[in-house]
Amino acid sequence: LYTAPDSCEGRCWEPYSPEDECHCNAECERYHSCCQDYYRHCRDQGFSSSRDAITDEDLLQVSEQLYKADHNKARPTDIAINPQYQASPDETNDQEDRSPLPLYKYVNEELFSKPTYASFIKLLDNYQRATGQEEEVTAEELREQDNFLREVMKTELMKKLFAFLHKKNRYGSKQEFLADLKEMWFGLYSRGDGEQDSSGFEHVFSGEVKKGKVSGFHNWIRFYLLEKRGSVNYFSHNFEGPWDTYPDVLGLQFSWDGFYKEVGSAFIGSSPEFEFGLYTLCFIARPGRGCHLSLGGYSLSIQTYPWTKSTYGDGKKYIATAYVIS
């Protein structure tokens, strides 16, 4: 279900990548490697101009802009972590707790009173974590989704993201962008046997349990709140990013009520809008493959995948997963 895209929808003139099943730039005609719908999307209509392509250089520039615009991120004094044991690649799946202390020594919870944090946290308890169990979405939960989207769209970070995507001809208006954010992130689909049991937001930020293992769960706020409650037990980390301020990145090993996560990469100390914006950018620009960014002068890559078994609107794909490559 997690594959590189085989369509040119939204991909015209993007740079060649050997990871792609098929290609959507002018060179693909010469090498006979174009996707089947190349002529429909890239010649007759859609993003028919190379000006609309999101280049690798564009991604480096806009990600630095978003990094600088994350005004709600944690300050160095807001969080103290205790990473303890660093696991080697052959130790990440042995489910051994090599770190006796919690990961978080201290978090300044005043952060959580900021509007984007507060509205984000309200969403976290809206889900059944086990896949295969139908999600029942109440009117109150729908209001919470709308409130979160409204709050993040007030931030400079999301305004910059919209301006970039608007310039690249992906969205004609903020209303169109907002409506698409709601569908791609909160629209329900089935990871089980037909039940509407999952969404991109639930998987990435809240976390799920599938076949006895933790699936998704890539958010530091969720981790901190569950660790504080005693539901999450931190085991070790296999990766620590190069940043000496926040946001930082960790690759984590942990259990959640006894269910294990072999590698759960996460930003540490970023605002909700920062993660939400970067994952959205990469899902739109590089679905199904590595999305190479620059944050504070350091390289970082994000992997996203579309859900391929169901669509919304005019054949658009839901977010299946998004995470930092660690």
Side-chain angles (χ1 to χ4, degrees), residues 221-236:
I221 300 169
R222 174 69 160 165
F223 189 101
Y224 166 74
L225 293 172
L226 289 177
E227 185 179 61
K228 181 182 175 184
R229 193 191 304 169
S231 299
V232 159
N233 180 20
Y234 170 71
F235 281 20
S236 57

Side-chain angles (χ1 to χ4, degrees), residues 54 56 58-71 73 120 148-149 152-153 155-162 164-165 171 177 181 184-185 201 204-205 218-220 243 246-249 265-305 319 321-325:
I54 297 177
D56 291 346
D58 287 334
L59 288 173
L60 296 176
Q61 291 178 1
V62 73
S63 55
E64 283 289 1
Q65 291 175 16
L66 300 184
Y67 179 77
K68 291 183 177 69
D70 188 15
H71 305 307
K73 68 184 177 184
F120 173 82
F148 171 71
L149 291 170
V152 296
M153 287 303 296
T155 65
E156 181 188 348
L157 189 150
M158 289 298 287
K159 288 176 181 176
K160 283 186 179 294
L161 176 60
F162 168 72
F164 173 77
L165 295 173
Y171 297 100
F177 181 45
L181 285 174
M184 75 168 74
W185 278 106
F201 187 93
V204 173
F205 294 108
H218 298 287
N219 178 253
W220 77 270
W243 294 270
Y246 296 117
D248 202 347
V249 175
S265 60
F267 286 105
I268 308 293
S270 61
S271 68
E273 61 266 29
F274 179 80
E275 292 177 81
F276 192 72
L278 281 195
Y279 292 151
T280 298
L281 168 68
C282 285
F283 183 68
I284 292 169
R286 299 287 186 271
R289 53 218 190 278
C291 174
H292 306 303
L293 309 177
S294 178
L295 304 181
Y298 292 104
S299 297
L300 175 128
S301 297
I302 286 172
Q303 179 75 50
T304 66
Y305 286 106
I319 291 175
T321 192
Y323 55 89
V324 180
I325 298 173

